[in-house]
């Protein structure tokens, strides 16, 4: 009996060993031999091998299990893009290169499954791109492990078939700074999606994910988040939870369905510097105090908001006695604006302004824009006037003299005051000089034509004697000795 079972065990063991061996053989058999003729090899730093759209005689590249003909090959960047790879498995991803690879790019393949611990052997992997594949969360269990998480910096999972994010799915990626999940049309996020492990995440992109609203605690585990992109999601208003992101600097809400920028939509985001809201199909108005809280704002971009026709004069808080932000770049190209209010913001640091493609009313209210030479460098399309009729289609920078000709411009008025003041001071000085001269000539007992100007020897300030003794009457006299006083 006992002997029998030992025998059976041995048999099982042998069978197992054989299947393992067979599997090993299989791995090798599946290996695709590849050379720098199939791929582009570039040894300049970072050394890169690009196997894009590889086509052998009559087949496509379907595996990442590549064996390089050049055995000494080491690459930091490996791009296996635009192929037909359908699966990734441990020990079968460019096995020769695991030690040095820092970037792995599998964009545009047909990957629908990734085996457990597939990337654990990559000791230096910083960037992993899996964009444009067929991935679902169920088919990538135990892939984002703590071993990978130790050094992974950027993860791209955009344009896959990711749906409900399993809780704590990303938690082992403790050093991740950038996560891109764009274009997963049925992505479902909860308060648990970005859990405790992601405290280093700085950049999150959730474009085109069909998100209608965001759960209230979704960003609670992301204290360092400073860049958030939510382009192309069907929000009708700015999600409240955005106000809870403490360090947010860059916010992109382009292509959403926001209808109005109301006074508290971004009230608590004091740190936002760069606000991108291009192509808001439904936006018509920017309301009173819409940006009042945003003291750090430097760049705003509302280009291609076709229906935007009104910006409240106090949108940045300038008329409610708040300090408006010092904007550096302003984009309102291709909107439906007729004007841009001079006191809207602080234009002191402005470097770029784009207002081409708007039906501008070139009246006195717009004159300021033409006066400041630093604003002449309009960005992109040259703005033209739509009104008044006489200036229709005239480029704004050529209309300067014709825009509001009756009103004296502010800056000119400023210059005029200065000129007036200087002339006044000059006038007083002249009077004083004449008076002094009269006094002087009287004292010398020579009441003569005060307007007579003796020909003094050329004398610059530096030639004046430093010795005060020389400034005595004698010295003065000696100068005058040369003058033809007798002729008078
Ligand atoms: C632009 O605004 C005018 C009114 O100022 C309106 O008649 C026109 O329909 C608007 N155009 C668009 C594209 O919204």
């Amino acid at each position: 009996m006992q002997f029998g079972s030992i025998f059976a065990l041995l048999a099982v063991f042998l069978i197992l060993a054989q299947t393992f061996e067979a599997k090993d053989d299989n791995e090798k058999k599946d290996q695709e031999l590849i050379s720098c003729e199939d791929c582009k090899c570039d040894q300049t730093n970072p050394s890169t091998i690009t196997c894009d759209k590889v086509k052998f005689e009559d087949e496509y590249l379907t595996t990442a299990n590549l064996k390089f003909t050049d055995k000494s090959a080491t690459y930091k960047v490996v791009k296996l893009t635009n192929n037909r790879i359908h699966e990734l498995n441990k020990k079968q991803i460019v096995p020769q290169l695991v030690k040095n690879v820092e970037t792995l790019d599998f964009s545009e393949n047909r990957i629908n499954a990734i085996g457990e611990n597939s990337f654990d052997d990559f000791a230096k992997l910083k960037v992993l791109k899996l964009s444009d594949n067929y991935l679902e969360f169920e088919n990538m269990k135990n892939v984002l492990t703590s071993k990978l998480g130790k050094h992974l910096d950027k993860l791209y999972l955009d344009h896959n078939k990711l749906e409900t994010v399993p809780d704590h799915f990303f938690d082992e990626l403790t050093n991740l700074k950038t996560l891109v999940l764009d274009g997963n049309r049925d992505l479902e996020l909860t308060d648990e999606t970005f859990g405790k492990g992601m405290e280093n995440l700085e950049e999150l992109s959730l474009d085109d994910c069909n998100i209608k609203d965001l759960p209230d605690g979704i960003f609670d585990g992301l204290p360092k988040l400073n860049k958030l992109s939510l382009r192309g999601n069907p929000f009708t208003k700015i999600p409240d939870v955005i106000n809870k992101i403490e360090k947010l600097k860059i916010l992109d809400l382009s292509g959403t369905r926001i209808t109005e920028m109301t006074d508290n939509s971004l009230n608590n985001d004091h740190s936002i510097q760069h606000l991108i809201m291009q192509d808001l199909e439904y936006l018509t108005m920017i309301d009173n105090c819409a940006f009042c809280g945003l003291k750090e704002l430097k760049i705003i971009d509302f280009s291609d908001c076709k229906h935007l026709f009104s910006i409240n004069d106090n949108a940045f808080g300038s008329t409610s006695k708040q300090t408006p932000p010092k904007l550096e770049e302003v984009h309102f190209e291709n909107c439906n604006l007729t004007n841009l209010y001079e006191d809207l913001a602080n234009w002191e640091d402005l470097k770029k302004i784009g207002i081409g493609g708007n039906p501008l009313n070139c009246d006195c209210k717009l004159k300021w824009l033409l006066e400041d030479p630093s604003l002449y460098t309009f960005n992109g399309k040259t703005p033209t006037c739509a009104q008044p009729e006489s200036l229709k289609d005239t480029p704004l920078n050529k209309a300067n003299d014709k825009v509001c000709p009756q009103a004296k411009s502010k800056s000119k008025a400023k210059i005029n005051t200065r000129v007036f003041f200087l002339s006044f001071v000059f006038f007083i000085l002249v009077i004083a000089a004449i008076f002094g001269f009269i006094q002087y000539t009287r004292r010398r007992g020579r009441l003569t034509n005060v307007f007579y100007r003796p020909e003094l020897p050329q004398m610059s300030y530096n030639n004046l004697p430093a010795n005060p003794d020389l400034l005595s009457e004698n010295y003065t006299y000696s100068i005058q000795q040369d003058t033809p006083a007798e002729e008078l």
Side-chain angles (χ1 to χ4, degrees), residues 69-312:
T69 47
D70 173 11
K71 287 211 178 76
S72 64
T74 58
Y75 292 101
K76 283 188 184 163
V77 180
V78 177
K79 295 183 183 174
L80 305 179
T81 50
N82 275 299
N83 293 302
R84 299 203 178 167
I85 301 169
H86 46 82
E87 213 178 83
L88 296 174
N89 283 303
K90 191 173 161 77
K91 302 227 186 283
Q92 296 178 37
I93 305 168
V94 289
Q96 271 162 290
L97 306 177
V98 286
K99 276 198 201 121
N100 295 305
V101 174
E102 292 174 12
T103 299
L104 270 179
D105 188 350
F106 297 105
S107 302
E108 299 193 64
N109 277 283
R110 296 176 177 185
I111 302 167
N112 55 27
I114 304 179
E116 295 193 1
N117 306 93
S118 277
F119 302 105
D120 283 8
D121 300 331
F122 288 86
K124 293 184 182 167
L125 192 61
K126 287 206 176 91
V127 181
L128 178 57
K129 281 196 183 181
L130 292 160
S131 314
D132 293 277
N133 278 288
Y134 302 155
L135 284 168
E136 294 171 39
F137 284 119
E138 301 85 272
N139 298 333
M140 48 185 304
K141 284 183 182 142
N142 284 325
V143 172
L144 307 182
T145 59
S146 58
K147 267 195 178 165
L148 176 64
K150 247 181 233 155
H151 33 79
L152 196 68
D153 221 57
K154 297 191 161 105
L155 176 61
Y156 295 81
L157 286 169
D158 51 301
H159 302 95
N160 278 284
K161 295 181 171 175
L162 304 177
E163 295 181 3
T164 308
V165 188
D167 289 356
H168 312 291
F169 186 77
F170 302 103
D171 272 12
E172 303 289 348
L173 305 179
T174 48
N175 284 303
L176 198 69
K177 294 202 175 69
T178 304
L179 176 60
V180 180
L181 292 168
D182 303 349
N184 288 292
R185 301 293 306 171
D186 298 307
L187 194 69
E188 275 186 36
L189 305 162
T190 68
D191 285 347
E192 309 297 320
T193 303
F194 307 117
K196 290 211 167 61
M198 299 186 76
E199 68 224 7
N200 284 306
L201 197 77
E202 293 175 10
E203 205 175 326
L204 177 62
S205 191
L206 295 167
D207 299 349
D208 302 308
C209 289
N210 205 17
I211 300 169
K212 294 184 185 74
D213 202 5
L214 289 166
D216 216 40
I218 185 164
F219 302 125
D220 287 359
L222 310 177
K224 289 192 186 164
L225 189 64
N226 65 52
K227 184 176 174 189
L228 177 64
S229 185
L230 292 165
R231 290 176 85 101
N233 286 296
F235 302 123
T236 51
K237 64 190 246 325
I238 297 179
D240 292 336
V241 62
I242 289 178
N243 283 303
K244 290 169 75 178
I245 310 172
E246 255 174 58
K247 299 206 168 137
L248 194 60
K249 279 203 177 111
I250 306 174
L251 175 63
D252 192 341
L253 290 168
S254 303
T256 55
R257 297 190 190 160
I258 292 164
T259 53
E260 209 167 321
M261 291 292 295
T262 54
D263 66 346
N264 40 27
S265 32
L266 284 170
N267 238 9
N268 290 319
D269 277 307
H270 304 290
S271 55
I272 294 183
Q273 296 181 355
H274 190 163
L275 183 62
I276 310 159
M277 305 194 87
Q278 304 164 343
D279 194 18
L280 300 179
E281 174 89 42
Y282 300 96
L283 184 74
T284 53
M285 290 201 267
I286 295 175
D287 293 351
N288 178 32
C289 243
F291 311 113
C292 275
L294 311 186
K295 299 276 178 273
E296 304 291 318
L297 206 55
K298 290 189 170 70
I299 303 175
I300 55 165
D301 189 345
F302 279 86
S303 42
D304 301 309
C305 294
K306 286 194 290 267
H307 301 289
L308 175 64
F309 72 94
S310 157
I311 304 173
N312 189 289

Side-chain angles (χ1 to χ4, degrees), residues 241-407:
V241 62
I242 289 178
N243 283 303
K244 290 169 75 178
I245 310 172
E246 255 174 58
K247 299 206 168 137
L248 194 60
K249 279 203 177 111
I250 306 174
L251 175 63
D252 192 341
L253 290 168
S254 303
T256 55
R257 297 190 190 160
I258 292 164
T259 53
E260 209 167 321
M261 291 292 295
T262 54
D263 66 346
N264 40 27
S265 32
L266 284 170
N267 238 9
N268 290 319
D269 277 307
H270 304 290
S271 55
I272 294 183
Q273 296 181 355
H274 190 163
L275 183 62
I276 310 159
M277 305 194 87
Q278 304 164 343
D279 194 18
L280 300 179
E281 174 89 42
Y282 300 96
L283 184 74
T284 53
M285 290 201 267
I286 295 175
D287 293 351
N288 178 32
C289 243
F291 311 113
C292 275
L294 311 186
K295 299 276 178 273
E296 304 291 318
L297 206 55
K298 290 189 170 70
I299 303 175
I300 55 165
D301 189 345
F302 279 86
S303 42
D304 301 309
C305 294
K306 286 194 290 267
H307 301 289
L308 175 64
F309 72 94
S310 157
I311 304 173
N312 189 289
D313 290 354
N314 192 38
F316 294 90
S318 51
T319 62
S320 58
K321 286 189 185 146
Q322 304 194 30
T323 8
K326 287 189 177 178
L327 297 178
E328 291 174 10
E329 250 182 65
V330 174
H331 298 274
F332 284 109
E333 289 105 335
N334 305 318
C335 297
N336 198 14
L337 297 172
T338 51
N339 205 333
L340 198 61
Y341 177 54
E342 178 171 7
D343 294 327
L344 188 67
N346 185 334
W347 308 110
E348 221 171 86
D349 291 347
L350 196 68
K351 293 186 183 83
K352 255 189 202 169
I353 183 165
I355 50 161
N358 284 280
L360 296 175
N361 181 3
C362 295
D363 63 4
C364 295
K365 279 195 217 150
L366 208 66
K367 183 83 174 166
W368 70 275
L369 207 53
L370 293 164
E371 240 112 63
D372 191 338
S374 65
L375 301 187
Y376 270 25
T377 45
F378 292 111
N379 193 55
K381 229 192 233 180
T382 311
T384 52
C385 305
Q387 292 171 65
E389 201 56 39
S390 60
L391 287 175
K392 201 169 162 65
D393 297 328
T394 313
L396 200 56
N397 50 3
K398 299 215 171 98
N400 193 2
D401 298 336
K402 292 170 209 137
V403 176
C404 191
Q406 67 273 29

